[in-house]
Amino acid sequence: MGRPPCCDKTGVKKGPWTPEEDIALVSYIQEHGPGNWRAVPTHTGLLRCSKSCRLRWTNYLRPGIRRGNFTDHEEKMIIHLQALLGNRWAAIASYLPQRTDNDIKNYWNTHLRKKLRKLESGLGNDGFSSLDQQSAIPKGQWERRLQTDMRTAKKALSDALSLDDKSLTIPTSFSSSSSQISYSDSYFVKANPPPPPAQTTTSSTATYASSTENISRLLQGWMKNSPKSASTATTTNSSSSNIGVGTKTTTKTESTTSSSDVEGSTSKPEANDQSIFGFDSSSNSITTPQSMSSTVDDQASTDLYFQDDEKRKDNQLIMKSENEAVPFSVIENWLFDESIVPQGQEEGGLFQISLGCDDEDDHNNTSEFF
DNA sequence: AAGATCGTCAACCGCGCGTAA
DNA sequence: ATTACGCGCGGTTGACGATCT
């Protein structure tokens, strides 16, 4: 029995979304919340398939996402995580809550891979080839590699941080019945955010403005009225600012998010609901106060509305042994620490961690990349 | 100025997984 | 235990703008 098409292909519109369609979609989600995508086209009258609606929402209309202008810090994280996880963009995106997997994937494919290749050719055969090889690792293998990584990581972390071994018990087995890594909620939620890191960047929130920036105006306050928001959260109206629907057909003009759009949220989700990376990446990449608040609020609304937590939980790299688990924060800190280590001191960081058997190759690490 | 080529990225496609019936 | 369905993920495509010749 063949798989039925996800939707009736006849009469389904494809191609760039129009502002009108965006409005219809956003309005619907405002009323009903995301999910049940199958019902979206019928209820909205959109001639789009359910997947298309979900994608549009997830990648562009969803509040809390930031577009364009990847910071150095984000680049580093992506490179780290790509080396660690391979092309598991959703997992990588879970560490950068403001970025979508699609965005990260595109950025990798168009910028980072190219940069790495360049460096690879500059470094010779032993250069970054290993990184690219990473992505070619068959799915079944990366978990084993990851285990190896974690062992090495354990040692590195113990050395570097002088942490008690008990807290760093490395997993001996993964749930590997599927390609998904199992996780434990407690690991995810309990991490305490580190103090705000030294700001390494700068760029303002580069939300894509577009003719549909207007959508945010048209729909101003839509989140406020959402039944879901009313019941579960005190905050939400910031989201409209992020309807940065930049279809190419409309515009690619970038602008900073207007503070009026993003202000007004007062409460936030539990701070410890944020993964450190979430916290870190936001705070690190946004410096202006208004942007900062927008970031937090956006994240808040994202979490509240769109199961980002769930997604993150699903994807985040949580490893468990029989008795103990690696506190997720340690891994996060690990990555985080590396990124703020002054130049020249990076040798103890993640980049030193081999990604598997080809240790030698991997020693030409990405730190040189920057 | 015009055509060719390159780079970017929004969107599509197919597949796998989880789950409810 | 099986099947059908919905969702999410990763790879790929194609449109469009920018740059080069």
Side-chain angles (χ1 to χ4, degrees):
Chain A
M1 97 192 77
R3 186 187 194 79
C6 77
C7 46
D8 187 5
K9 300 281 181 191
T10 60
V12 172
K13 189 183 172 199
K14 292 182 183 179
W17 280 65
T18 64
E20 290 75 19
E21 289 175 311
D22 285 335
I23 290 172
L25 179 57
V26 167
S27 303
Y28 175 83
I29 293 174
Q30 172 195 5
E31 220 174 307
H32 300 92
N36 195 11
W37 296 108
R38 192 121 179 139
V40 173
T42 38
H43 285 107
T44 56
L46 288 168
L47 300 174
R48 297 277 182 173
C49 86
S50 55
K51 285 174 77 170
S52 186
C53 294
R54 180 177 57 81
L55 202 70
R56 183 65 184 167
W57 172 257
T58 308
N59 288 335
Y60 303 97
L61 301 177
R62 175 170 61 96
I65 60 178
R66 202 156 60 95
R67 324 226 41 246
N69 286 358
F70 279 77
T71 66
D72 282 354
H73 178 71
E74 285 172 318
E75 275 193 12
K76 277 188 172 184
M77 281 180 56
I78 292 169
I79 290 170
H80 278 180
L81 291 164
Q82 203 278 341
L84 192 63
L85 301 172
N87 295 354
R88 300 170 61 81
W89 306 116
I92 292 171
S94 69
Y95 290 85
L96 298 160
Q98 295 183 304
R99 303 292 186 178
T100 67
D101 52 355
N102 206 40
D103 221 15
I104 292 171
K105 181 173 60 183
N106 280 333
Y107 191 67
W108 174 267
N109 288 333
T110 57
H111 294 90
L112 297 180
R113 199 166 54 178
K114 202 179 307 169
K115 272 185 180 180
L116 291 174
R117 280 221 186 96
K118 229 177 188 174
L119 270 158
E120 179 185 346
S121 62
L123 292 169
N125 291 336
D126 291 328
F128 284 97
S129 50
S130 59
L131 278 175
D132 267 354
Q133 286 162 9
Q134 267 309 113
S135 22
I137 297 171
K139 264 191 177 176
Q141 284 181 28
W142 76 269
E143 284 183 1
R144 285 196 297 278
R145 287 200 137 192
L146 206 46
Q147 281 185 266
T148 310
D149 298 345
M150 295 315 298
R151 291 198 183 90
T152 321
K154 177 190 174 183
K155 186 174 186 318
L157 280 166
S158 301
D159 292 349
L161 304 173
S162 308
L163 288 177
D164 189 338
D165 251 358
K166 285 178 188 170
S167 65
L168 290 172
T169 304
I170 294 307
T172 55
S173 64
F174 292 158
S175 143
S176 53
S177 55
S178 75
S179 59
Q180 302 284 336
I181 293 180
S182 64
Y183 71 92
S184 157
D185 271 23
S186 58
Y187 304 145
F188 173 72
V189 242
K190 298 308 176 194
N192 294 319
Q199 299 297 313
T200 57
T201 53
T202 81
S203 47
S204 55
T205 341
T207 353
Y208 270 26
S210 73
S211 61
T212 43
E213 172 182 18
N214 14 356
I215 291 179
S216 70
R217 297 212 169 82
L218 287 169
L219 295 172
Q220 226 165 24
W222 68 271
M223 290 295 265
K224 254 188 277 189
N225 301 328
S226 158
K228 223 173 167 181
S229 68
S231 62
T232 59
T234 51
T235 6
T236 47
N237 66 348
S238 69
S239 49
S240 58
S241 69
N242 279 293
I243 302 173
V245 210
T247 65
K248 277 187 169 175
T249 47
T250 51
T251 119
K252 285 180 79 171
T253 318
E254 294 189 1
S255 77
T256 53
T257 303
S258 98
S259 59
S260 66
D261 281 346
V262 300
E263 284 170 0
S265 314
T266 49
S267 70
K268 299 163 190 167
E270 291 292 310
N272 57 7
D273 259 27
Q274 307 252 347
S275 90
I276 289 172
F277 273 147
F279 176 88
D280 172 40
S281 64
S282 336
S283 60
N284 219 4
S285 41
I286 294 170
T287 52
T288 65
Q290 75 198 36
S291 300
M292 181 80 85
S293 74
S294 107
T295 300
V296 173
D297 293 344
D298 289 345
Q299 183 56 49
S301 49
T302 305
D303 287 347
L304 291 166
Y305 269 79
F306 312 112
Q307 305 131 358
D308 248 26
D309 268 356
E310 292 305 314
K311 184 181 167 190
R312 234 177 289 152
K313 286 180 192 173
D314 286 344
N315 286 319
Q316 281 191 328
L317 198 56
I318 306 300
M319 274 125 323
K320 207 174 178 180
S321 68
E322 294 88 353
N323 306 319
E324 295 233 49
V326 179
F328 192 46
S329 58
V330 171
I331 302 171
E332 291 184 331
N333 276 326
W334 174 25
L335 291 166
F336 170 73
D337 285 348
E338 190 285 331
S339 70
I340 58 172
V341 166
Q343 290 238 336
Q345 296 181 22
E346 291 181 352
E347 258 112 32
L350 172 60
F351 283 144
Q352 274 251 314
I353 308 301
S354 156
L355 291 169
C357 33
D358 5 341
D359 288 349
E360 290 304 311
D361 286 350
D362 289 337
H363 280 180
N364 290 294
N365 60 49
T366 45
S367 60
E368 299 174 41
F369 175 64
F370 298 97

